[in-house]
Amino acid sequence: MTSKPKVAFFDFAGCEGDQLEVINLEERLLDLVEVVEVVSFREAMSEHSDDYEIAFVEGSITTPHDVERLEEVRSNADTVIAIGSCAAFGGINSIRNEQDFETVKERTYGEDAAMFDDPDAELFDSFEHAQPAKAFVEVEYEVPGCPIDGEEFIQTVTAILQGGDPSLANHPVCVDCKLAENTCAFDRGEICLGPITRGGGCDATCVSQGTRCWGCRGLVDNPAEDAYSEVLQEYGVTTDELLNEFTLYWSWQREHGPQADMQEVEQ
Amino acid sequence: MSQDIDIEGDLVTRVEGHGEIVVNATDGQLEACEWHVVESPRFFESMVVDRDWDEIHHIVSRICGICSVTHTMTGLKAVEDAMGVELSEQDLKLRKLALAGETLQSHVLHLGYLALPDLVGEKSVVPMANTHEEEVRTVIRLHKLGNELIETVAGRSTHAQRTIPGGFSRLPREAELRDLRASLEGSWNDVETVVDLVLSLADELPDFTRETEFISLTDPDEYALYEGVPYSSDTGELDLADYREIVNEHVVEQSTAKFTKHDRDSYMVGALARFNNNYEQLGPMATAVADRFGLKPVCHNPYLNNVAQLVETAHLIERSIELIDSILESGLEAQSDYHKPDVDVTAGQGVGAIEAPRGILFHEYTLDETGTALEGNCVIPTNQNHANIQLDMERLVPTIIEQPEGEIEHTLEMLVRAYDPCISCSTHYLDVEFVDTPPER
Ligand code: SF4
Ligand code: SF4
């Protein structure tokens, strides 16, 4: 890697909240551009170059056009890093993966949903399921979260620049909750995904702000499912309630597992 | 002097989301002039179906990262409307404060990071850090102030957690509000710096006008952002319950696009629309900023939307200070750190509207008796500005057709950036094509 590596940002289907979190680093962004050269960041700059070593991708992959772009990014970059839950494992976009696609289109477009069948309207060529980047190309690292945590982003970049390995923490959000001395959401009568959601990057922010963990950082590797079942039994949570929670961020991940490998390109 | 022009749909940069401009001319004859939105469809209106009343705001906040507070609160307003939930005075003020923070953050981002580089002839704010270091640091400070406002009140600047149906899960402390007030008071010099900078570059803003209709919220008591009823500069006050007739989403014959129109073929929403409709209610500092630019209602130059944002930036700071004062004066009424408002879950249909940074935003939900969503509808500012951008282009391009291609493209990109369409929130997918229909001259 050269002394000042070139980095580029690419966004797919998403809200651009993760790129915004990068912009929200505020003056630290000026420090960042001291150590890396940003060659592409459509949300913030007009320049664009295909010469980069590190590519950050945001948003989930929902169209054949997305796949083409993603493959190009992959072939240009030495390292691809998925930022945000949409890019890392489908995220909130994958709620629709559990719904019938014809119904999905009709609910959103009414009778105009027929446009999706028009072979000339190629921009409407949408996959049935929203999928993460790793469903199509190899992704070296992930910074999950909806949105990502700016601090974790900086740590990841720093580790990579120093030749380290920015692997994710592998403990549940519950650990962060204990550190934050939160009252357990279950004790407050809520259903919380903290026991099986990957912690270590968000400081259990949602519970700390008075709500519950919705699972935005994805399933922790090897979740202690038995322990979780006990918790659920203890608090009398029904399967329906739980499934509802699981489909908020995990509709793709539930099927493919927390560390899913690249799959055959499906359309 | 007639030239061939081929501006072929490169992604417009420094806007949120994906948009493309297509202009073709052969031998000076305009053949196509189109504004395309190429964002992937995301289907939010389907994604909320079957979800619970207390999850809807969480989901729809992900429509847009930059105006997530607005989407969250518009979703909450619609759900609260459906179930007849009333907010306390204090919660209302706190929501207004969080919204002011988001609009401030978004305006500064738009002006400083997206539009300013055009005016100083740079491609991004990064090289400006060398040529205009003080100004860039000022922009960063103001942007941060907006984010601090959101964080202090709503708990996180993007996809905040504390705003929930019926109020807040958790409140800021009085000391935090006092600190915030001090930062707001301390920001006037920074506002001045940005005003001076934009003023010195104001000649770079193209002098282009096209008469149009402006739609925003309006409220008898204040410059409407959180509360109020829809208002048209053509036809006056409108009924929120009839919002579908206000936006009138329709398909244009020669295109697959959904356009919106109200009294004319297009209308504009956003800072300039609000400025034009509610000018009298701006605070004194904001009015002074407008005066320095000679900006008066009714202004029909879309490029001055950026100046209207600057005017609103001053207004938002004034207004936030007022809100904090009023909360502190009556004493912040405490609540638990894991507060859950009492909400009677009922079936119902509700509509909510809020002024997002880029214009009026409507959400509507139908809920069954368990509070599960049966239907959802979101009409976002970009959809509403879409036809207006297209018609502006059609009027503008013939007047600049003799300019070099790069100039034309730059002027059009600046036009798009002036609106800053929040394309990623295109819950409805839009694709405009005017095939074989030469634009009006
Ligand atoms: S992960 Fe969340 S913040 Fe990031 S793009 Fe997706 S919805 Fe937005
Ligand atoms: S507490 Fe849960 S939902 Fe909230 S940010 Fe952390 S992982 Fe995401």
mmCIF file of all heavy atoms in Angstrom, chain A residues 13-18 58-59 83-87 92-93 145-148 249, chain B residues 42 62 65 158-159, ligand 1:
data_model
loop_
_atom_site.group_PDB
_atom_site.id
_atom_site.type_symbol
_atom_site.label_atom_id
_atom_site.label_comp_id
_atom_site.label_asym_id
_atom_site.label_seq_id
_atom_site.Cartn_x
_atom_site.Cartn_y
_atom_site.Cartn_z
ATOM 1 N N ALA A 13 -28.661 0.795 -2.837
ATOM 2 C CA ALA A 13 -29.957 1.154 -2.261
ATOM 3 C C ALA A 13 -29.854 1.360 -0.753
ATOM 4 O O ALA A 13 -29.608 0.420 -0.007
ATOM 5 C CB ALA A 13 -30.993 0.074 -2.572
ATOM 6 N N GLY A 14 -30.008 2.591 -0.333
ATOM 7 C CA GLY A 14 -29.896 2.906 1.085
ATOM 8 C C GLY A 14 -30.271 4.348 1.310
ATOM 9 O O GLY A 14 -30.649 5.051 0.369
ATOM 10 N N CYS A 15 -30.130 4.775 2.542
ATOM 11 C CA CYS A 15 -30.564 6.139 2.867
ATOM 12 C C CYS A 15 -29.392 7.095 2.901
ATOM 13 O O CYS A 15 -29.562 8.265 3.186
ATOM 14 C CB CYS A 15 -31.278 6.138 4.200
ATOM 15 S SG CYS A 15 -30.157 6.021 5.604
ATOM 16 N N GLU A 16 -28.189 6.621 2.650
ATOM 17 C CA GLU A 16 -26.961 7.414 2.686
ATOM 18 C C GLU A 16 -26.629 7.915 4.084
ATOM 19 O O GLU A 16 -25.824 8.810 4.267
ATOM 20 C CB GLU A 16 -27.013 8.578 1.666
ATOM 21 C CG GLU A 16 -27.357 8.058 0.270
ATOM 22 C CD GLU A 16 -27.110 9.048 -0.864
ATOM 23 O OE1 GLU A 16 -26.485 10.078 -0.620
ATOM 24 O OE2 GLU A 16 -27.531 8.751 -1.978
ATOM 25 N N GLY A 17 -27.249 7.284 5.088
ATOM 26 C CA GLY A 17 -26.988 7.669 6.467
ATOM 27 C C GLY A 17 -25.571 7.323 6.904
ATOM 28 O O GLY A 17 -25.003 7.992 7.765
ATOM 29 N N ASP A 18 -24.989 6.296 6.307
ATOM 30 C CA ASP A 18 -23.630 5.914 6.697
ATOM 31 C C ASP A 18 -22.607 6.895 6.132
ATOM 32 O O ASP A 18 -21.662 7.275 6.809
ATOM 33 C CB ASP A 18 -23.345 4.482 6.229
ATOM 34 C CG ASP A 18 -24.422 3.536 6.720
ATOM 35 O OD1 ASP A 18 -24.549 3.394 7.941
ATOM 36 O OD2 ASP A 18 -25.166 2.981 5.885
ATOM 37 N N GLU A 58 -21.978 1.183 0.469
ATOM 38 C CA GLU A 58 -23.118 1.406 1.342
ATOM 39 C C GLU A 58 -24.389 1.004 0.614
ATOM 40 O O GLU A 58 -24.477 1.146 -0.605
ATOM 41 C CB GLU A 58 -23.194 2.904 1.697
ATOM 42 C CG GLU A 58 -24.394 3.289 2.539
ATOM 43 C CD GLU A 58 -24.653 4.793 2.535
ATOM 44 O OE1 GLU A 58 -24.831 5.375 1.454
ATOM 45 O OE2 GLU A 58 -24.679 5.376 3.625
ATOM 46 N N GLY A 59 -25.371 0.513 1.332
ATOM 47 C CA GLY A 59 -26.660 0.192 0.725
ATOM 48 C C GLY A 59 -26.723 -1.243 0.240
ATOM 49 O O GLY A 59 -25.700 -1.903 0.038
ATOM 50 N N ILE A 83 -20.154 -0.797 4.496
ATOM 51 C CA ILE A 83 -20.521 0.054 5.633
ATOM 52 C C ILE A 83 -22.033 0.131 5.760
ATOM 53 O O ILE A 83 -22.751 0.367 4.805
ATOM 54 C CB ILE A 83 -19.875 1.464 5.576
ATOM 55 C CG1 ILE A 83 -20.236 2.215 4.285
ATOM 56 C CG2 ILE A 83 -18.368 1.393 5.745
ATOM 57 C CD1 ILE A 83 -19.839 3.703 4.327
ATOM 58 N N GLY A 84 -22.513 -0.077 6.975
ATOM 59 C CA GLY A 84 -23.937 -0.036 7.253
ATOM 60 C C GLY A 84 -24.580 -1.401 7.085
ATOM 61 O O GLY A 84 -24.079 -2.277 6.380
ATOM 62 N N SER A 85 -25.705 -1.568 7.751
ATOM 63 C CA SER A 85 -26.376 -2.864 7.754
ATOM 64 C C SER A 85 -26.895 -3.253 6.378
ATOM 65 O O SER A 85 -26.899 -4.431 6.030
ATOM 66 C CB SER A 85 -27.540 -2.828 8.741
ATOM 67 O OG SER A 85 -27.101 -2.321 9.967
ATOM 68 N N CYS A 86 -27.337 -2.276 5.587
ATOM 69 C CA CYS A 86 -27.854 -2.598 4.250
ATOM 70 C C CYS A 86 -26.779 -3.302 3.431
ATOM 71 O O CYS A 86 -27.033 -4.303 2.771
ATOM 72 C CB CYS A 86 -28.291 -1.337 3.509
ATOM 73 S SG CYS A 86 -29.689 -0.481 4.212
ATOM 74 N N ALA A 87 -25.557 -2.752 3.475
ATOM 75 C CA ALA A 87 -24.470 -3.329 2.680
ATOM 76 C C ALA A 87 -23.942 -4.600 3.311
ATOM 77 O O ALA A 87 -23.546 -5.536 2.625
ATOM 78 C CB ALA A 87 -23.339 -2.307 2.533
ATOM 79 N N ILE A 92 -32.519 -3.034 6.736
ATOM 80 C CA ILE A 92 -33.944 -2.718 6.743
ATOM 81 C C ILE A 92 -34.596 -2.964 5.368
ATOM 82 O O ILE A 92 -35.769 -3.309 5.278
ATOM 83 C CB ILE A 92 -34.159 -1.263 7.251
ATOM 84 C CG1 ILE A 92 -35.496 -1.144 7.997
ATOM 85 C CG2 ILE A 92 -34.120 -0.252 6.134
ATOM 86 C CD1 ILE A 92 -35.353 -0.787 9.442
ATOM 87 N N ASN A 93 -33.813 -2.816 4.310
ATOM 88 C CA ASN A 93 -34.383 -3.056 2.971
ATOM 89 C C ASN A 93 -34.913 -4.475 2.825
ATOM 90 O O ASN A 93 -35.772 -4.736 1.989
ATOM 91 C CB ASN A 93 -33.317 -2.854 1.889
ATOM 92 C CG ASN A 93 -33.009 -1.394 1.673
ATOM 93 O OD1 ASN A 93 -33.900 -0.555 1.747
ATOM 94 N ND2 ASN A 93 -31.747 -1.088 1.416
ATOM 95 N N GLY A 145 -24.250 -1.549 11.318
ATOM 96 C CA GLY A 145 -24.943 -0.502 12.075
ATOM 97 C C GLY A 145 -25.879 0.258 11.167
ATOM 98 O O GLY A 145 -25.664 0.322 9.956
ATOM 99 N N CYS A 146 -26.917 0.770 11.742
ATOM 100 C CA CYS A 146 -27.882 1.538 10.956
ATOM 101 C C CYS A 146 -28.237 2.789 11.721
ATOM 102 O O CYS A 146 -29.196 2.799 12.454
ATOM 103 C CB CYS A 146 -29.124 0.680 10.696
ATOM 104 S SG CYS A 146 -30.330 1.459 9.619
ATOM 105 N N PRO A 147 -27.418 3.826 11.606
ATOM 106 C CA PRO A 147 -26.236 3.936 10.763
ATOM 107 C C PRO A 147 -24.986 3.403 11.458
ATOM 108 O O PRO A 147 -25.035 3.041 12.619
ATOM 109 C CB PRO A 147 -26.111 5.446 10.590
ATOM 110 C CG PRO A 147 -26.547 5.982 11.919
ATOM 111 C CD PRO A 147 -27.629 5.053 12.388
ATOM 112 N N ILE A 148 -23.851 3.424 10.721
ATOM 113 C CA ILE A 148 -22.578 3.057 11.330
ATOM 114 C C ILE A 148 -22.239 4.044 12.432
ATOM 115 O O ILE A 148 -22.756 5.160 12.471
ATOM 116 C CB ILE A 148 -21.413 3.069 10.303
ATOM 117 C CG1 ILE A 148 -21.293 4.451 9.630
ATOM 118 C CG2 ILE A 148 -21.573 1.956 9.296
ATOM 119 C CD1 ILE A 148 -19.980 4.662 8.895
ATOM 120 N N TYR A 249 -34.439 -6.347 10.553
ATOM 121 C CA TYR A 249 -33.138 -6.171 9.885
ATOM 122 C C TYR A 249 -32.588 -7.464 9.291
ATOM 123 O O TYR A 249 -31.679 -7.453 8.493
ATOM 124 C CB TYR A 249 -32.089 -5.634 10.875
ATOM 125 C CG TYR A 249 -32.271 -4.184 11.221
ATOM 126 C CD1 TYR A 249 -32.985 -3.799 12.344
ATOM 127 C CD2 TYR A 249 -31.729 -3.198 10.403
ATOM 128 C CE1 TYR A 249 -33.155 -2.457 12.657
ATOM 129 C CE2 TYR A 249 -31.893 -1.853 10.710
ATOM 130 C CZ TYR A 249 -32.613 -1.496 11.842
ATOM 131 O OH TYR A 249 -32.781 -0.177 12.129
ATOM 132 N N ARG B 42 -37.126 1.225 -3.410
ATOM 133 C CA ARG B 42 -36.888 0.615 -2.094
ATOM 134 C C ARG B 42 -38.164 0.107 -1.433
ATOM 135 O O ARG B 42 -38.101 -0.597 -0.455
ATOM 136 C CB ARG B 42 -36.129 1.598 -1.197
ATOM 137 C CG ARG B 42 -34.718 1.833 -1.738
ATOM 138 C CD ARG B 42 -33.928 2.813 -0.895
ATOM 139 N NE ARG B 42 -33.675 2.281 0.423
ATOM 140 C CZ ARG B 42 -33.497 3.035 1.478
ATOM 141 N NH1 ARG B 42 -33.565 4.348 1.376
ATOM 142 N NH2 ARG B 42 -33.265 2.494 2.649
ATOM 143 N N ARG B 62 -35.488 5.378 7.922
ATOM 144 C CA ARG B 62 -34.441 4.887 6.996
ATOM 145 C C ARG B 62 -34.720 5.255 5.544
ATOM 146 O O ARG B 62 -33.984 4.846 4.638
ATOM 147 C CB ARG B 62 -34.283 3.372 7.129
ATOM 148 C CG ARG B 62 -33.276 2.954 8.186
ATOM 149 C CD ARG B 62 -33.725 3.236 9.579
ATOM 150 N NE ARG B 62 -32.724 2.883 10.574
ATOM 151 C CZ ARG B 62 -32.874 3.105 11.880
ATOM 152 N NH1 ARG B 62 -33.958 3.677 12.345
ATOM 153 N NH2 ARG B 62 -31.908 2.791 12.713
ATOM 154 N N GLY B 65 -31.258 9.364 5.275
ATOM 155 C CA GLY B 65 -30.349 9.641 6.383
ATOM 156 C C GLY B 65 -30.276 11.119 6.711
ATOM 157 O O GLY B 65 -30.160 11.503 7.866
ATOM 158 N N THR B 158 -28.277 10.797 13.470
ATOM 159 C CA THR B 158 -28.926 10.087 12.364
ATOM 160 C C THR B 158 -29.741 8.932 12.953
ATOM 161 O O THR B 158 -29.227 8.186 13.775
ATOM 162 C CB THR B 158 -27.880 9.534 11.374
ATOM 163 O OG1 THR B 158 -27.020 10.601 10.977
ATOM 164 C CG2 THR B 158 -28.547 8.949 10.140
ATOM 165 N N HIS B 159 -30.957 8.786 12.513
ATOM 166 C CA HIS B 159 -31.859 7.747 13.021
ATOM 167 C C HIS B 159 -31.944 7.788 14.547
ATOM 168 O O HIS B 159 -31.640 6.821 15.245
ATOM 169 C CB HIS B 159 -31.421 6.358 12.536
ATOM 170 C CG HIS B 159 -31.301 6.269 11.044
ATOM 171 N ND1 HIS B 159 -32.211 6.890 10.210
ATOM 172 C CD2 HIS B 159 -30.406 5.673 10.224
ATOM 173 C CE1 HIS B 159 -31.855 6.666 8.955
ATOM 174 N NE2 HIS B 159 -30.766 5.946 8.935
HETATM 175 S S1 SF4 C 1 -27.660 0.734 6.917
HETATM 176 FE FE1 SF4 C 1 -29.179 2.154 7.735
HETATM 177 S S2 SF4 C 1 -28.080 4.103 7.722
HETATM 178 FE FE2 SF4 C 1 -26.986 2.734 6.318
HETATM 179 S S3 SF4 C 1 -27.873 3.073 4.283
HETATM 180 FE FE3 SF4 C 1 -28.977 1.380 5.202
HETATM 181 S S4 SF4 C 1 -30.757 2.352 6.139
HETATM 182 FE FE4 SF4 C 1 -29.268 3.956 5.811
#
